[in-house]
Amino acid sequence: NAGVTQTPKFRILKIGQSMTLQCAQDMNHNYMYWYRQDPGMGLKLIYYSVGAGITDKGEVPNGYNVSRSTTEDFPLRLELAAPSQTSVYFCASSSYRDYNEQFFGPGTRLTVL
Amino acid sequence: GESVGLHLPTLSVQEGDNSIINCAYSNSASDYFIWYKQESGKGPQFIIDIRSNMDKRQGQRVTVLLNKTVKHLSLQIAATQPGDSAVYFCAEKLGGNNRKLIWGLGTSLAVNP
């Protein structure tokens, strides 16, 4: 099992550009999450999904969009990138039964200049 | 607002000693409390969780203590090893069907050889 994979690992965007952060998991998990982690801080939930076709906002959804067309994939879309979106983005997944144990990807380090 | 926070931002211990990492929470409605470990450059990794109706739970070299009277949670690591050096986060899951976690700021644990 590859677990949770994320691409790209690093990205630099200019203000106003858009991009999609990819996330995939091969554990057949129902739940998937997107977090951002600012330096020296904890994780803030951006969006989450409880299954294909179902998504909901987290604590900090503004400036982001998600979709969940399959169980495996949960891409995060940034529209009109702003410097405030400079952060490390983590995707995670968990099973229906053991939802406290979230499995995290390696993260995407995004810089917006 | 509701928050999960940590008493000590950094902790330095000698290899072989026991480590205690503390966490304060404010949401009485949380039904689970969870500890995660994040090594440098990686995503968080689940360590252990404890249900709100329990006072203590033990894992491999780790013990979680929950004091609901003072809303305090601690993670004890026995015989701390250099591989335990990481940032430790406590998180809480709100009760009911909520699958989201609220994360604390983290404590950095440094193990000196």
Side-chain angles (χ1 to χ4, degrees), chain B residues 27-85:
Chain B
N27 195 329
S28 300
S30 296
D31 60 358
Y32 278 96
F33 300 89
I34 308 111
W35 283 99
Y36 278 80
K37 171 187 180 183
Q38 186 177 26
E39 297 176 8
S40 181
K42 297 184 178 180
Q45 183 178 15
F46 174 88
I47 302 173
I48 192 168
D49 63 0
I50 185 168
R51 194 165 179 165
S52 60
N53 62 356
M54 299 172 65
D55 298 322
K56 180 179 180 178
R57 188 173 187 205
Q58 289 185 295
Q60 189 175 10
R61 277 201 310 120
V62 295
T63 300
V64 183
L65 297 178
L66 177 61
N67 186 331
K68 292 179 286 295
T69 302
V70 295
K71 295 183 181 176
H72 184 267
L73 182 72
S74 69
L75 177 71
Q76 300 178 4
I77 304 173
T80 312
Q81 302 168 0
D84 295 325
S85 294

Side-chain angles (χ1 to χ4, degrees), chain A residues 19-20 24 34 36 41 43 49 51 54 60 66 77 84 88 95:
Chain A
M19 75 165 294
T20 299
W34 273 106
R36 60 175 287 172
M41 302 292 287
L43 280 72
S49 169
I54 306 170
V60 290
V66 293
R77 178 81 177 162
S84 61
V88 180
S95 70

